[in-house]
Amino acid sequence: MSTKEKSTFSHFFKEDAETVQDIIKGTNRQQIADKVGVANKEIFPKIKSSKEVSEDDFKAQWKTIRSFFRNGNNISKLPNNLSPVIMAPLYTNNVIGTDFPVWVADENYEGENEACLSLEEFLTNCLNEIGPAENDAHILKENIARILHIANEKLADKQPQLFQPVIHQILDELEKQLDVSGDEVHSFNSDLKNLKNVLPDNGALLPYSNNTSLQILEAAMVATLGKSRKALKHDISQLKCRLKDLLRVEREKGPERKNPEKLKDSLGFIDTQMNFDELSSILPGAGSETMGEERVQRISKVVKDLEESEIILEQQGFVFVDELLFSNKNTDWKNLFGTAEVEVYKKGEGCESISSNFSQHITNWTKLFVAKRIGDLEFENSYQADVHDEYFEHFNWQSFATEELSNCPPFILVCDDIQLFDTEFNKLSTLLSSNIPIKIVAVKRDDFIDYKQNGSTKKVANLHTQTE
């Protein structure tokens, strides 16, 4: 290297020596000047002098660092959801970037909380219930990520499974993998037992797949409708009994109650010991005012309508599927919506099909709720013919209360997104303007090439919806 080059190189460090000292030690000057320009001192990071700590503090800090890199235990105020690199092999594409698997409730769920939660949220809630303090059930809390990994392996076939049996299998596998020993065995076993006790015995565990959004929709239909429908059936059963009691009391007021044949029918168990002709002659006359024939007929009709409603109370929903989507072999629509009636419609007829079906079925539900409302009024003796006759004559589904509307079966249109906004766009606008309470699921079809081992190719159609 030439003398000139050495001089220039040395001069370079000489010029920056002052700046380097400022970075290391810091100064009270406001600016640093050189031949290039002027810069604020604050833009340079400073290496702070190390602080003397005790041996115990030093060991505690290293223990915290080791804990993070071993099991991801983040107690050092690092950003949430950080995991050490050493755990990267555990985070396969079955886990990263999704909230799956998810737990969904079924018709037997009677809780007041959410009916659909990611398994991570679900387990966190349950563990906080059995161990509210930070150190309670800490082994299980620290291994939620491992539980999720095991769950995704159990659901590798992408098929939903009943929650109770599969979660017990997952927790048994967790117990084998951890193999807890020493002083924490007793507390871990106790926490594991308590967790199993608070987990629900109903619902299903859903993995992520192309059909997951539709499976969640079906589960939501079953869970929400089952809960409200159970209460409605109970109310109708109670109301029928009360109205029948009113009619029975009314019959006992009339003169036919003294008919010997009627007495014999009701007291036939003592017909060998009693003369019913003589008994009818000594019974006192009716002592209460009768209802009136019009009211009796009205109550009788209500009871009849409520009894006929037992059929429609079993309706769980109506799903209309585009025939192009229905022909896709990757989706078993009948099994997917097992509790609802699935119907297939031809291209361009989806909005019309669901609209006419809604009009047909909602008439029966209108009849049911009219009968229930009249029955409630009659039981309270609050029905006023001059007011209520006209009101119920014009009563329709738009008059339903929110609770009544939620008891009606859902009407769902599953359609191809391109056809919906192209072929059926005008019909869709008309349908939306009518304010009919239906749900529309626009499904996107993806055509892709499936490459076989022998080099041949096959065009395969796949379906997906937005899963947020």
Side-chain angles (χ1 to χ4, degrees):
M1 181 179 291
S2 65
T3 307
K4 183 178 180 181
E5 287 177 339
K6 289 182 180 179
S7 175
T8 304
F9 200 69
S10 302
H11 183 66
F12 172 78
F13 279 102
K14 187 179 295 184
E15 283 185 336
D16 286 354
E18 187 177 1
T19 302
V20 172
Q21 291 298 318
D22 287 341
I23 294 174
I24 297 175
K25 298 180 179 179
T27 68
N28 294 324
R29 291 179 297 170
Q30 298 299 314
Q31 294 182 334
I32 300 172
D34 59 20
K35 294 181 181 179
V36 178
V38 179
N40 291 330
K41 181 186 68 173
E42 285 76 6
I43 69 170
F44 296 106
K46 295 183 177 62
I47 301 175
K48 296 181 179 180
S49 301
S50 59
K51 183 175 67 174
E52 293 293 333
V53 296
S54 66
E55 186 69 20
D56 291 339
D57 291 338
F58 185 80
K59 290 181 178 179
Q61 184 63 26
W62 271 111
K63 182 178 180 182
T64 300
I65 295 173
R66 286 195 300 271
S67 178
F68 172 74
F69 280 101
R70 283 174 178 170
N71 54 35
N73 185 16
N74 183 7
I75 60 174
S76 302
K77 298 182 179 180
L78 295 172
N80 292 330
N81 300 323
L82 285 183
S83 297
V85 176
I86 198 172
M87 295 180 68
L90 294 176
Y91 290 86
T92 65
N93 57 1
N94 291 328
V95 180
I96 288 293
T98 74
D99 287 328
F100 293 89
V102 297
W103 168 83
V104 290
D106 59 23
E107 68 274 10
N108 298 316
Y109 179 63
E110 297 182 353
E112 298 297 330
N113 298 322
E114 294 88 344
C116 178
L117 286 172
S118 70
L119 182 59
E120 181 178 7
E121 290 178 292
F122 192 80
L123 290 173
T124 300
N125 293 342
C126 292
L127 289 172
N128 288 336
E129 180 181 343
I130 66 172
E134 184 178 353
N135 293 327
D136 293 342
H138 70 96
I139 296 180
L140 290 173
K141 291 178 180 178
E142 292 168 2
N143 283 277
I144 289 180
R146 187 187 292 270
I147 296 175
L148 299 180
H149 184 71
I150 297 172
N152 278 285
E153 289 183 335
K154 291 287 184 183
L155 301 171
D157 60 353
K158 302 299 182 182
Q159 295 300 319
Q161 295 193 29
L162 294 176
F163 180 71
Q164 188 182 44
V166 73
I167 194 63
H168 280 261
Q169 294 174 17
I170 292 169
L171 294 178
D172 290 343
E173 177 63 25
L174 173 72
E175 186 177 10
K176 291 179 183 177
Q177 290 188 10
L178 294 181
D179 192 22
V180 179
S181 60
D183 297 337
E184 293 187 314
V185 171
H186 177 73
S187 60
F188 173 73
N189 291 336
S190 177
D191 294 336
L192 194 62
K193 181 179 179 181
N194 292 335
L195 176 60
K196 291 181 178 180
N197 289 336
V198 299
L199 291 172
D201 58 358
N202 65 83
L205 200 60
L206 306 182
Y208 180 78
S209 70
N210 290 321
N211 294 327
T212 301
S213 56
L214 297 174
Q215 291 167 346
I216 292 176
L217 173 62
E218 196 272 342
M221 290 166 52
V222 171
T224 56
L225 191 62
K227 193 172 182 180
S228 60
R229 192 68 66 77
K230 188 181 296 184
L232 177 61
K233 289 180 179 180
H234 178 266
D235 292 343
I236 289 176
S237 177
Q238 293 286 94
L239 183 58
K240 284 192 298 184
C241 293
R242 291 167 180 169
L243 295 178
K244 287 180 178 180
D245 286 342
L246 287 178
L247 294 175
R248 183 168 59 252
V249 171
E250 183 64 20
R251 285 194 298 269
E252 292 177 354
K253 295 177 184 177
E256 65 274 8
R257 74 190 182 92
K258 300 174 65 175
N259 187 307
E261 293 300 323
K262 294 284 186 181
L263 292 172
K264 187 173 182 179
D265 289 340
S266 59
L267 301 173
F269 62 93
I270 55 172
D271 60 345
T272 58
Q273 306 172 24
M274 183 173 293
N275 187 320
F276 291 102
D277 291 325
E278 293 183 5
L279 177 62
S280 65
S281 64
I282 64 175
L283 284 175
S288 302
E289 183 180 353
T290 59
M291 286 184 182
E293 186 62 26
E294 182 180 351
R295 187 184 178 195
V296 171
Q297 291 180 358
R298 188 163 53 240
I299 294 177
S300 299
K301 184 179 184 305
V302 167
V303 172
K304 180 181 177 182
D305 290 344
L306 292 177
E307 289 178 340
E308 291 177 349
S309 70
E310 293 179 0
I311 297 177
I312 66 171
L313 285 172
E314 300 305 319
Q315 292 177 349
Q316 298 297 313
F318 300 91
V319 180
F320 293 81
V321 185
D322 186 326
E323 63 179 353
L324 189 63
L325 302 178
F326 190 82
S327 62
N328 187 284
K329 296 181 180 180
N330 294 328
T331 304
D332 184 356
W333 295 98
K334 296 287 185 181
N335 185 52
L336 185 61
F337 293 96
T339 60
E341 295 184 27
V342 178
E343 298 188 21
V344 184
Y345 66 86
K346 295 182 179 179
K347 179 180 179 180
E349 299 180 1
C351 294
E352 185 178 348
S353 297
I354 196 169
S355 179
S356 60
N357 188 276
F358 175 83
S359 300
Q360 174 188 347
H361 287 285
I362 208 65
T363 301
N364 295 327
W365 284 91
T366 303
K367 183 179 178 182
L368 166 62
F369 290 124
V370 166
K372 185 177 182 303
R373 287 196 182 199
I374 294 176
D376 289 333
L377 290 169
E378 288 291 3
F379 179 71
E380 299 291 338
N381 197 20
S382 301
Y383 190 92
Q384 301 178 34
D386 56 336
V387 175
H388 294 115
D389 282 354
E390 183 178 0
Y391 173 75
F392 287 114
E393 184 179 350
H394 298 91
F395 190 90
N396 57 31
W397 69 266
Q398 293 175 325
S399 307
F400 287 2
T402 303
E403 182 181 357
E404 292 170 335
L405 197 58
S406 65
N407 272 294
C408 295
F411 294 81
I412 299 173
L413 179 67
V414 183
C415 49
D416 178 79
D417 60 340
I418 297 176
Q419 289 191 20
L420 180 65
F421 295 109
D422 182 14
T423 310
E424 295 207 59
F425 186 75
N426 291 334
K427 294 179 181 179
L428 173 64
S429 301
T430 303
L431 184 65
L432 295 177
S433 64
S434 67
N435 203 31
I436 294 177
I438 65 170
K439 296 175 177 61
I440 301 176
V441 179
V443 178
K444 182 177 180 61
R445 288 183 298 113
D446 289 335
D447 293 334
F448 62 93
I449 302 299
D450 183 19
Y451 293 93
K452 301 298 181 181
Q453 291 182 355
N454 58 8
S456 62
T457 62
K458 181 178 67 172
K459 198 171 185 179
V460 180
N462 205 8
L463 309 178
H464 72 81
T465 56
Q466 292 297 104
T467 53
E468 286 84 350

